[in-house]
Amino acid sequence: MEQHFNAQPTQGSDDDELLFAVDAEADDDQQPCWTVLIVDDEPEIHQITLLALRDFTFLQHKLQFISAYSAAEARDILERNSNIALILLDVVMETDDAGLVLVRYIRDQLQNQLVRIILRTGQPGQAPEHRIVLDYDINDYRSKTELTVQRLTTSVVSALRAYMAIEQLAQLNASLEQQVQARTEQLQSSNQQLQHSLAELEAGEKAGKQVQFKMLPPPSFHCAEYQFCHALYPSEFMSGDFVDYFAVDEHKVAFYIADVSGHGVASAFVTVYLKRFISAKLERYQRGTCDHIIDPAAVLAELNKELLKEKIGKYIALFYAVLDTRTAEITYANAGAFPWPLLVQQQHGSYLELKSTPVGMFDFAHYTNHRLLIQENSSLVLWSDGVLDVLPQQNTEQKLQYLLQVSAEQNDIAALLKALAIDPTQPLPDDLTILKLTRHSRK
């Protein structure tokens, strides 16, 4: 096939902007090619370049050429063409440094760091090579007189390799940026969903707290000369602690304090289970079908059995007692509640030391009833173990002694908290619950 050169205007270009296709048939087939911009004010240089590179291929891509005869014309072409791979650029054209100024324009104004630039000059002394290579982002700097076909081909191959590597790196960076952007958007979306879920969870926990607190007894309850009162402060919205007191019949009042393992929503659900369990026992007693409600040891044993059977995965430290208002006798049993119940009589306090196992932990656990008479002007104070976490003493024994001393000196819960320097409005490390039974003098 006879090779020849076609010269035709590029689409959208001025009449004097020429696109040269080295092989017309290849252009007709729309084969991929490398686009080269020749910038030189000498037409002969354009023709020589075309002849020198007429048979050039690199990675099975031929060359197509765009010609510009001044730096100003090259600026217009570069602004409209983003796919130029290589510029063969003359230094001296309309001015002595027109080519160098164009390099600055390409890199700084157009921000085109991809296109490769080979500087060619007919006046080597006008722009020393070592200064140009150091100061300008170019691929090669050659005198026109030394550019043989072989040297020009070598320079073009080197430039195109650099162009391909930089283009691949740019594509990789663009792909990475897209992936980062997509991931960032996913994270933002996930974060928004998480914030929404957390808001819903918080709203649910607040609603759960209202439900749980409605299950609590009134803050103060009187029966004859006996007064019950309590305070419950959750470390989170919902509490793993629970407290209750209620009339079983005309002369008996049951009361208990419970601390479910852990705290928060999961533990709070177990307090609901406990409340339902005790309520069912009360209903059976009132129907006359079962009297376990007034038998603390039986209540603990049956609750232990049910928790293990249901495999709830939680255990409960629980002190359960029944007061007979006629005899002032308290029947009680302990299932791992600690600190132990604190009995205050005549301003002297002592612990009812009852070592035992929480319900829901072991199937061999055994619980025993104990009895005591509560005198006039005496009280029984029950704490959940959250109180030990806020006391300043170094060890448990010191904390128990301090708690015993303060509890014996104070008459009500508010005074107790103040004396212990406990501020329940501040965040607590664990749920904190207090139950106090006081027997006043008979009027």
Side-chain angles (χ1 to χ4, degrees), residues 37 42 78 81 86 118 159 201 207 255 263 265 286 288 359 427 433:
L37 174 62
E42 299 181 40
L78 287 165
N81 292 270
L86 173 62
I118 297 176
L201 178 61
F255 60 97
H263 48 83
V265 176
Q286 292 173 342
V359 291
T433 305

Side-chain angles (χ1 to χ4, degrees), residues 324-395:
D324 189 325
T325 60
R326 295 171 300 181
T327 63
E329 183 179 68
I330 299 176
T331 303
Y332 61 93
N334 189 36
F338 187 82
W340 300 298
L342 196 160
L343 179 64
V344 179
Q345 297 185 125
Q346 299 177 353
Q347 294 187 334
H348 174 73
S350 61
Y351 285 108
L352 304 178
E353 296 189 17
L354 301 168
K355 296 181 179 180
S356 55
T357 305
V359 291
M361 184 173 286
F362 301 114
D363 58 2
F364 54 80
H366 177 73
Y367 304 101
T368 304
N369 284 330
H370 302 267
R371 290 175 174 80
L372 68 86
L373 292 176
I374 183 167
Q375 302 174 4
E376 292 185 1
N377 299 315
S378 300
S379 60
L380 186 66
V381 184
L382 307 173
W383 297 85
S384 67
D385 64 359
V387 68
L388 300 178
D389 293 332
V390 295
L391 294 181
Q393 285 70 32
Q394 294 297 318
N395 57 56

Side-chain angles (χ1 to χ4, degrees), residues 1 3 9 32 38 81 89 120 123 145 158 167 181 188 194 201 207 228 246 303 313 318 355 361 372 379 387:
M1 178 179 64
Q3 292 189 331
I38 305 172
N81 292 270
L89 176 61
R120 302 191 293 184
Q123 305 176 44
T145 57
S158 176
E167 184 181 41
Q181 179 64 26
Q188 290 175 344
L194 177 60
L201 178 61
F228 293 85
F246 53 90
L303 178 60
L318 176 65
K355 296 181 179 180
M361 184 173 286
L372 68 86
S379 60
V387 68

Side-chain angles (χ1 to χ4, degrees), residues 78-91:
L78 287 165
E79 289 175 356
R80 299 194 303 271
N81 292 270
S82 60
N83 64 336
I84 296 174
L86 173 62
I87 303 175
L88 300 174
L89 176 61
D90 190 12
V91 174

Side-chain angles (χ1 to χ4, degrees), residues 218-220 227-233 243 245 257 380-383 406-407 410-422 424 432-438:
S220 181
Q227 178 187 9
F228 293 85
C229 58
H230 79 277
L232 189 155
Y233 306 103
V243 63
Y245 36 76
I257 185 171
L380 186 66
V381 184
L382 307 173
W383 297 85
V406 173
S407 298
Q410 305 301 324
N411 294 324
D412 58 59
I413 290 177
L416 269 174
L417 293 174
K418 184 176 181 180
L420 293 171
I422 297 174
L432 173 61
T433 305
I434 313 164
L435 168 62
K436 186 172 185 180
L437 163 62
T438 302

Side-chain angles (χ1 to χ4, degrees), residues 256-293:
Y256 62 89
I257 185 171
D259 183 359
V260 180
S261 57
H263 48 83
V265 176
S267 298
F269 286 155
V270 181
T271 68
V272 176
Y273 178 92
L274 173 63
K275 174 71 173 182
R276 293 284 299 170
F277 177 85
I278 299 295
S279 297
K281 295 299 176 189
L282 178 60
E283 290 174 4
R284 294 183 65 184
Y285 176 81
Q286 292 173 342
R287 293 198 306 266
T289 59
C290 180
D291 62 357
H292 284 178
I293 194 72

